[in-house]
PDB file of all heavy atoms in Angstrom:
ATOM      1  N   LEU B  30      -2.139  12.159 -15.268  1.00  0.00           N
ATOM      2  CA  LEU B  30      -3.182  12.284 -16.219  1.00  0.00           C
ATOM      3  C   LEU B  30      -4.169  13.342 -15.737  1.00  0.00           C
ATOM      4  O   LEU B  30      -4.619  13.272 -14.568  1.00  0.00           O
ATOM      5  CB  LEU B  30      -3.846  10.958 -16.436  1.00  0.00           C
ATOM      6  CG  LEU B  30      -5.111  10.908 -17.416  1.00  0.00           C
ATOM      7  CD1 LEU B  30      -4.541  11.321 -18.797  1.00  0.00           C
ATOM      8  CD2 LEU B  30      -5.714   9.518 -17.506  1.00  0.00           C
ATOM      9  N   ILE B  31      -4.445  14.325 -16.654  1.00  0.00           N
ATOM     10  CA  ILE B  31      -5.541  15.285 -16.367  1.00  0.00           C
ATOM     11  C   ILE B  31      -6.579  15.039 -17.433  1.00  0.00           C
ATOM     12  O   ILE B  31      -6.262  14.964 -18.603  1.00  0.00           O
ATOM     13  CB  ILE B  31      -5.012  16.649 -16.489  1.00  0.00           C
ATOM     14  CG1 ILE B  31      -3.941  16.912 -15.400  1.00  0.00           C
ATOM     15  CG2 ILE B  31      -6.177  17.677 -16.223  1.00  0.00           C
ATOM     16  CD1 ILE B  31      -3.270  18.275 -15.474  1.00  0.00           C
ATOM     17  N   THR B  32      -7.756  14.826 -17.016  1.00  0.00           N
ATOM     18  CA  THR B  32      -8.891  14.566 -17.940  1.00  0.00           C
ATOM     19  C   THR B  32     -10.163  15.350 -17.526  1.00  0.00           C
ATOM     20  O   THR B  32     -10.109  16.052 -16.548  1.00  0.00           O
ATOM     21  CB  THR B  32      -9.108  13.039 -18.042  1.00  0.00           C
ATOM     22  OG1 THR B  32     -10.013  12.717 -19.076  1.00  0.00           O
ATOM     23  CG2 THR B  32      -9.762  12.496 -16.710  1.00  0.00           C
ATOM     24  N   VAL B  33     -11.178  15.125 -18.290  1.00  0.00           N
ATOM     25  CA  VAL B  33     -12.445  15.764 -17.957  1.00  0.00           C
ATOM     26  C   VAL B  33     -13.521  14.757 -17.649  1.00  0.00           C
ATOM     27  O   VAL B  33     -13.382  13.626 -17.938  1.00  0.00           O
ATOM     28  CB  VAL B  33     -12.941  16.681 -19.223  1.00  0.00           C
ATOM     29  CG1 VAL B  33     -11.910  17.819 -19.492  1.00  0.00           C
ATOM     30  CG2 VAL B  33     -13.113  15.798 -20.463  1.00  0.00           C
ATOM     31  N   THR B  34     -14.557  15.251 -16.966  1.00  0.00           N
ATOM     32  CA  THR B  34     -15.646  14.433 -16.498  1.00  0.00           C
ATOM     33  C   THR B  34     -16.246  13.698 -17.718  1.00  0.00           C
ATOM     34  O   THR B  34     -16.520  14.257 -18.753  1.00  0.00           O
ATOM     35  CB  THR B  34     -16.672  15.277 -15.825  1.00  0.00           C
ATOM     36  OG1 THR B  34     -16.065  15.910 -14.707  1.00  0.00           O
ATOM     37  CG2 THR B  34     -17.876  14.380 -15.374  1.00  0.00           C
ATOM     38  N   GLY B  35     -16.411  12.340 -17.557  1.00  0.00           N
ATOM     39  CA  GLY B  35     -17.082  11.564 -18.485  1.00  0.00           C
ATOM     40  C   GLY B  35     -16.255  10.855 -19.566  1.00  0.00           C
ATOM     41  O   GLY B  35     -16.758  10.065 -20.377  1.00  0.00           O
ATOM     42  N   LYS B  36     -15.026  11.297 -19.694  1.00  0.00           N
ATOM     43  CA  LYS B  36     -14.211  10.763 -20.731  1.00  0.00           C
ATOM     44  C   LYS B  36     -13.510   9.440 -20.238  1.00  0.00           C
ATOM     45  O   LYS B  36     -12.563   9.540 -19.359  1.00  0.00           O
ATOM     46  CB  LYS B  36     -13.124  11.782 -21.120  1.00  0.00           C
ATOM     47  CG  LYS B  36     -12.275  11.354 -22.352  1.00  0.00           C
ATOM     48  CD  LYS B  36     -11.372  12.428 -22.749  1.00  0.00           C
ATOM     49  CE  LYS B  36     -10.571  12.010 -24.006  1.00  0.00           C
ATOM     50  NZ  LYS B  36      -9.586  13.073 -24.406  1.00  0.00           N
ATOM     51  N   LYS B  37     -13.892   8.378 -20.846  1.00  0.00           N
ATOM     52  CA  LYS B  37     -13.294   7.064 -20.386  1.00  0.00           C
ATOM     53  C   LYS B  37     -11.816   7.007 -20.436  1.00  0.00           C
ATOM     54  O   LYS B  37     -11.160   7.529 -21.369  1.00  0.00           O
ATOM     55  CB  LYS B  37     -13.884   5.976 -21.278  1.00  0.00           C
ATOM     56  CG  LYS B  37     -13.434   4.556 -21.004  1.00  0.00           C
ATOM     57  CD  LYS B  37     -14.078   3.537 -21.873  1.00  0.00           C
ATOM     58  CE  LYS B  37     -13.563   2.123 -21.591  1.00  0.00           C
ATOM     59  NZ  LYS B  37     -14.102   1.127 -22.457  1.00  0.00           N
TER      60      LYS B  37
END
Side-chain angles (χ1 to χ4, degrees):
Chain B
L30 180 60
I31 300 174
T32 190
V33 295
T34 299
K36 186 176 181 182
K37 180 179 178 180

